[in-house]
């Protein structure tokens, strides 16, 4: 839903259409029912009755923080704060733990591989909000990890990563060069 909100917001900026009421309603609903109050992470899977079908997760929170930045900067920052609480760091490297609040699980396609509780996807997703909200130390630790484990291939001024393939490179391009940043 955050990607849809981002698309609506970008449409509004491109066309001059005012979608502020819809986006404000969306942000209120996310805050009211989708953010776990104990962890600050998003409940990714919910039933029609509003009950969670999964533990709060960092991968969904990181991706939602990226997209929410196009629609509601305050919500994006709130999500990023929850996400950054899950950072684990050692020796100058950082990564994001997938499950908050003592929960655990195997992950899924959204989280990418979960290794010792660390989500590959959540770690990559954290790059954009860390940069956008000025968390230089978090960004640096996470980028070090990305650079090490992504197996960088440099050719002149071009950088690609062997791990993750085309989709991984496309995502990293987005997270390293954009948002979440609203027009000011």
């Amino acid at each position: 839903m955050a990607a849809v909100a981002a698309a609506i917001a970008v449409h509004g900026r491109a066309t001059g259409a005012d979608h502020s009421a819809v986006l404000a309603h969306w942000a209120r609903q996310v805050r009211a029912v989708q953010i776990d109050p104990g962890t600050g992470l998003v409940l990714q899977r919910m039933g029609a009755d509003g009950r969670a079908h999964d533990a709060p997760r960092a991968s969904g929170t990181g991706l939602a923080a990226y997209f929410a930045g196009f629609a509601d900067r305050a919500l994006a920052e709130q999500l990023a704060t929850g996400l950054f609480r899950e950072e684990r760091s050692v020796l100058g490297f950082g990564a994001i733990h997938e499950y908050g609040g003592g929960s655990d699980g195997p992950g899924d396609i959204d989280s990418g591989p979960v290794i010792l509780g660390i989500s590959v996807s959540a770690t990559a997703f954290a790059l954009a909000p860390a940069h956008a909200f000025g968390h230089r130390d978090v960004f640096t630790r996470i980028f070090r990890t990305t650079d090490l484990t992504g197996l960088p291939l440099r050719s002149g001024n071009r950088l690609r990563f062997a791990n993750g393939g085309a989709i991984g490179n496309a995502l990293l391009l987005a997270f390293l060069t954009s948002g979440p940043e609203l027009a000011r």
Side-chain angles (χ1 to χ4, degrees):
M1 295 310 300
V4 172
I8 291 168
V10 170
H11 173 271
R13 285 202 291 279
T15 64
D18 181 8
H19 300 301
S20 59
V22 168
L23 295 172
H25 174 76
W26 167 76
R28 278 192 307 275
Q29 291 303 107
V30 169
R31 285 186 178 98
V33 299
Q34 201 172 2
I35 299 174
D36 176 65
T39 63
L41 298 177
V42 167
L43 299 167
Q44 287 180 211
R45 294 185 325 131
M46 299 177 73
D49 61 0
R51 291 185 6 194
H53 287 271
D54 197 1
R57 310 243 318 265
S59 56
T61 305
L63 194 56
Y66 169 74
F67 283 121
F70 296 97
D72 187 301
R73 187 169 173 81
L75 176 59
E77 190 164 19
Q78 180 181 353
L79 293 170
T81 298
L83 178 66
F84 298 151
R85 284 188 204 121
E86 297 304 320
E87 185 200 6
R88 308 296 190 265
S89 63
V90 62
L91 301 173
F93 292 88
I96 305 294
H97 195 269
E98 175 66 2
Y99 290 91
S103 298
D104 202 10
D108 59 17
I109 193 159
D110 296 330
S111 59
V114 175
I115 303 162
L116 300 173
I118 297 299
S119 165
V120 171
S121 296
T123 301
F125 296 160
L127 288 166
H131 180 263
F133 296 118
H135 293 268
R136 187 178 201 95
D137 52 342
V138 173
F139 179 88
T140 299
R141 287 189 300 268
I142 289 173
F143 186 78
R144 280 182 187 137
T145 303
T146 302
D147 194 51
L148 175 68
T149 62
L151 302 175
L153 302 170
R154 291 178 173 86
S155 176
N157 63 356
R158 186 174 179 208
L159 171 65
R160 325 182 269 125
F161 294 91
N163 260 345
I167 191 73
N169 279 292
L171 287 168
L172 283 173
L173 175 64
F175 300 140
L176 291 170
T177 61
S178 67
E181 197 65 49
L182 287 176
R184 293 184 180 180

